Amino acid sequence: MTGADLRVPKLNTNDESYVLLEWLVDDGEPVRRDDPVASVETSKAVEELVSPGDGVLRRLLPVGASCAAGDLIGRVSPDGDPGPVPAATPAAAAAGGGGAAVVITAPAQALIDELGLDPALVASLGVAVVKRADILALAGSAAARHALSPRQQAIGRTVTLSHATIPAAYSVVKVEVDAALAAAGRLTRQLRRLVGLPDLLVAAVARQHATFPLFFARLVDERTAELADRPNVGVTFDLGTGLHIPVVPDAATLPVAQIAERLTEYRRLAGQGAFREEQLAGANIVVTLHHDGGIVLAVPMIFPGQVCALALAAPQRELVLDEAGAVQARTVAQIGLAYDHRLVNGRDAALFLHAIRDCLEAPGEHLLDRDA
């Protein structure tokens, strides 16, 4: 019996090939159906592949090899016999040949040849699998030029497409956030888990879906918009490994505590660059975070296929006079909204921002503990 084929699924429509990063199970080891057995890197994320059945795993492709959707990389057979195995592709053979301790992927080798990098410099990376992103980083540190990573290039294409195709307008509102910060502090102590202003903002944005459905829509053509049945809120993270925009699906049904738990996990994955494709897909509105480092105003980009994006700037202390003429201190934050003027006009943008402001300035049960 030859058993079940382990083939690479279609992981990212923008990629023609992926890199086999790691085998999670030794060759010849028993596995059960749906056990993780390998990890594959796309241009966006690292994906785990699972066993197609019960039996013994036979690995048919070396770590570091290029592979495409549909490629056979392993077999799981009851008797451990993989049966007839097709010849390796040239890219796979190049990546895994020679028994070298360090594997250099085919895209990485092509870039090494293009830049004329010293093999000793490449060896100094100290990694088992040298990927194209490693060579880009190495080239940036070894020369008086900066090589854009594939993720930076993809972001550049997205920004260009957004600016070229979306007639965007922008509005900003100042929000007094003392009550929101106090509520986040109480939740942090109660839950023993950090809850912050971004978590409350995601909840406040999602709660507007029923009242402002066009802000979560998708423009089908110049005359038609498709409304979303639920608010899927994307949130930006950039911790030095590139920009990631994971999604909090159906966020209007989640209490702030669950949103905070999800964003905490996303922050960890952003630091590792280890998102799965499904965690990055499906957003119909985006919240961009600029709440560190004293940023007082930020203009977000509308992502193609969406109508709106919001930006949260850093909270600032300011002094104001109360009705009695006494000086009072308060904490404020600017929340900006970029919107597609084909679907949203200025008045509705102002109403949307005011509704979010009201949620944050008086964060009651409808925001903090909603479970509907």
Side-chain angles (χ1 to χ4, degrees), residues 230-261:
R230 57 180 186 165
N232 299 327
V233 183
V235 182
T236 61
F237 289 92
D238 187 353
L239 303 182
T241 59
L243 179 67
H244 304 274
I245 311 174
V247 181
V248 181
D250 206 5
T253 66
L254 302 178
V256 170
Q258 290 188 28
I259 292 174
E261 182 177 7

Side-chain angles (χ1 to χ4, degrees), residues 155-178:
I155 291 171
R157 291 190 295 270
T158 301
V159 173
T160 300
L161 179 62
S162 174
H163 290 171
T165 60
I166 300 176
Y170 182 73
S171 296
V172 62
V173 67
K174 181 187 291 186
V175 180
E176 188 173 346
V177 295
D178 289 291

Side-chain angles (χ1 to χ4, degrees), residues 58-82:
R58 290 300 181 188
R59 307 189 313 199
L60 306 181
L61 201 66
V63 167
S66 295
C67 51
D71 282 359
L72 178 67
I73 66 170
R75 280 207 177 105
V76 177
S77 55
D79 56 5
D81 179 9

